[in-house]
């Protein structure tokens, strides 16, 4: 089968299209999926570049796992003996390492049936980013109706889902993004939108129960005065790790305001919820651009630029 691979760490140019062995079902709880679409995330860029924490997992000098991708949408071609949730021919979406390839073989508990009103491209845009936003707001922040929530990086992959999900849970949502994104971010349901090129929310005197830094570009300390007495700051990305141990340690010392770091934990139950929200029209993915598998290096460059609006998707089939 064809797959986008990288045999060394480096720039997007290290990506190439290779012929690799097609995966097969070795464990009874796995599902063989023919991939139709997969998204490209900052995760993929971090692994490709060999960002130090990823090398601990994936090899210090060269990558052990050479196929990237963590989001998938496609059709079921075969199932293991213990698979009860799916049958051959089902359209599914979910989380699976190695999805930038024609086939993947995930466990059944990290995928779900696709929303009946979505395309494969839309379904592939949902899993990682939407689960990250959902779990950060629902589980880490324990968001409730009436909370004042600020989403920093509201036009990004995680951020644009967070705006919609915070609104779903009844929060008063303030979205922070750049000038060109104000209109469509407001259309997602934000009550207020701040243009960060014109105003720093940390200096306007307003306070929030939850600040979700969906792009990892703020620090707990820069947001401290904007949190309520028991407010929570959550960062989603390990992009600026020098701040994180200090933030967590200091937040436990200086008072009731807390700093949390959250990474998504893929599971089928959350995907079922996201599917339901998609089908009822409460949630919608925003896809800025689609690339083919042969354009993988260009897709990486685009995501790495940090100027994406919503999600970037690969069309595999």
């Amino acid at each position: 089968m064809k797959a986008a691979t990288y045999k060394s760490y480096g720039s997007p140019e290290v990506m190439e299209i290779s012929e690799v062995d097609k995966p097969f079902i070795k464990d009874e709880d796995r599902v063989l999926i023919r991939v139709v679409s997969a998204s490209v995330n900052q995760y993929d860029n971090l692994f490709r570049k060999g960002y130090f924490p990823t090398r601990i997992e994936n090899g210090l000098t060269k990558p052990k796992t050479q196929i990237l991708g963590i989001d998938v949408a496609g059709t079921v071609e075969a199932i293991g003996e213990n698979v009860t949730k799916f049958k051959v021919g089902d359209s599914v979406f979910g989380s699976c390492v190695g999805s930038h390839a024609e086939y993947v073989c995930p466990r059944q508990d990290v995928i779900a049936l696709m929303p009946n009103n979505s395309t494969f491209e839309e379904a592939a845009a949902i899993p990682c980013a939407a689960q990250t936003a959902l779990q950060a707001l629902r589980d880490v922040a324990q968001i409730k109706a009436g909370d004042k929530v600020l989403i920093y990086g509201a036009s990004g992959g995680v951020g644009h889902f967070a705006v919609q999900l915070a609104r779903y849970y009844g929060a008063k949502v303030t979205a922070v993004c750049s000038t060109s994104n104000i209109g469509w971010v407001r259309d997602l349901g934000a009550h207020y939108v701040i243009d960060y090129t014109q105003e720093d929310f940390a200096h306007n005197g307003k306070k929030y129960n939850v600040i979700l830094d969906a792009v990892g570009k703020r620090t707990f300390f820069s947001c401290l005065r904007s949190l309520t007495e028991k407010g929570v700051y959550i960062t989603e990305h390990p992009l600026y790790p020098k701040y994180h141990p200090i933030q967590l340690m200091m937040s436990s010392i200086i008072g009731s305001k807390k700093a949390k770091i959250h990474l998504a934990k893929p599971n089928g139950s959350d995907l079922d919820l996201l599917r339901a929200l998609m089908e009822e029209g409460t949630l919608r993915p925003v896809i800025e651009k689609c690339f083919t598998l042969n354009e993988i290096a260009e897709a990486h460059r685009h995501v790495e630029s940090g100027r994406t609006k919503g999600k970037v998707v690969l069309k595999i089939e």
Side-chain angles (χ1 to χ4, degrees):
M1 70 170 184
K2 289 182 179 179
T5 63
Y6 70 124
K7 298 180 175 62
S8 62
Y9 299 119
S11 68
E13 282 63 40
V14 301
M15 300 302 303
E16 59 185 30
I17 304 303
S18 305
E19 285 289 337
V20 300
D21 292 337
K22 179 180 175 181
F24 59 93
I25 296 175
K26 292 184 289 186
D27 301 317
E28 289 82 358
D29 66 340
R30 290 189 177 265
V31 175
L32 180 65
I33 298 173
R34 179 175 59 82
V35 182
V36 178
S37 294
S39 48
V40 182
N41 296 284
Q42 284 290 359
Y43 164 97
D44 302 306
N45 277 318
L46 292 175
F47 271 78
R48 189 210 72 237
K49 290 190 293 187
Y51 177 61
F52 180 71
T54 70
R55 291 188 187 228
I56 297 173
E57 176 183 343
N58 200 37
L60 291 175
T61 59
K62 63 180 180 179
K64 296 176 185 176
T65 301
Q66 298 180 348
I67 305 175
L68 294 170
I70 51 175
D71 293 325
V72 65
T75 57
V76 175
E77 287 220 340
I79 60 174
E81 291 182 3
N82 293 338
V83 172
T84 58
K85 295 174 60 179
F86 308 102
K87 64 183 184 299
V88 173
D90 281 344
S91 297
V92 296
F93 75 126
S95 303
C96 182
V97 173
S99 63
H100 294 173
E102 292 182 311
Y103 291 90
V104 289
C105 204
R107 303 188 317 273
Q108 68 169 335
D109 62 353
V110 293
I111 61 174
L113 293 172
M114 257 176 50
N116 58 25
N117 60 343
S118 79
T119 64
F120 284 102
E121 289 78 17
E122 290 171 330
I126 295 172
C128 178
Q131 285 185 101
T132 298
L134 173 66
Q135 293 167 14
L137 294 171
R138 182 195 62 196
D139 303 333
V140 180
Q142 298 183 358
I143 190 174
K144 60 185 182 298
D147 278 352
K148 294 180 180 179
V149 176
L150 182 138
I151 312 296
Y152 191 84
S155 61
V158 173
H160 87 284
F161 284 121
V163 169
Q164 298 173 79
L165 290 166
R167 182 67 185 256
Y168 167 72
Y169 282 108
K172 293 294 184 182
V173 184
T174 297
V176 181
C177 60
S178 62
T179 310
S180 63
N181 296 316
I182 288 174
W184 71 267
V185 168
R186 182 178 284 117
D187 288 343
L188 293 178
H191 295 89
Y192 312 100
V193 182
I194 295 175
D195 181 349
Y196 73 80
T197 70
Q198 303 297 318
E199 176 188 349
D200 185 349
F201 74 89
H203 297 141
N204 66 14
K206 296 180 180 178
K207 294 186 180 294
Y208 304 91
N209 303 98
V210 180
I211 295 177
L212 173 59
D213 179 5
V215 287
K217 292 188 176 180
R218 301 297 299 233
T219 68
F220 173 57
F221 302 113
S222 72
C223 299
L224 196 57
R225 73 174 105 185
S226 298
L227 288 168
T228 59
E229 183 179 351
K230 295 184 179 180
V232 180
Y233 163 87
I234 307 170
T235 184
E236 299 297 331
H237 291 279
L239 299 178
Y240 303 95
K242 64 182 180 180
Y243 296 116
H244 293 176
I246 299 173
Q247 291 182 106
L248 291 175
M249 179 180 69
M250 291 301 294
S251 75
S252 66
I253 295 172
I254 63 177
S256 57
K257 301 177 183 181
K258 298 299 180 185
K260 303 286 186 179
I261 300 171
H262 170 70
L263 296 175
K265 299 175 178 63
N267 67 84
S269 296
D270 283 348
L271 290 170
D272 286 337
L273 171 60
L274 294 168
R275 180 185 70 240
L277 294 178
M278 179 81 172
E279 290 177 346
E280 69 182 36
T282 301
L283 188 75
R284 64 181 176 93
V286 173
I287 299 174
E288 182 194 15
K289 197 165 185 178
C290 290
F291 295 88
T292 67
L293 188 61
N294 289 331
E295 296 171 319
I296 186 65
E298 185 179 348
H300 273 247
R301 281 193 295 272
H302 190 69
V303 172
E304 193 172 46
S305 73
R307 297 189 297 271
T308 55
K309 302 175 182 179
K311 295 286 291 181
V312 170
V313 172
L314 283 180
K315 300 176 77 168
I316 308 294
E317 188 179 53

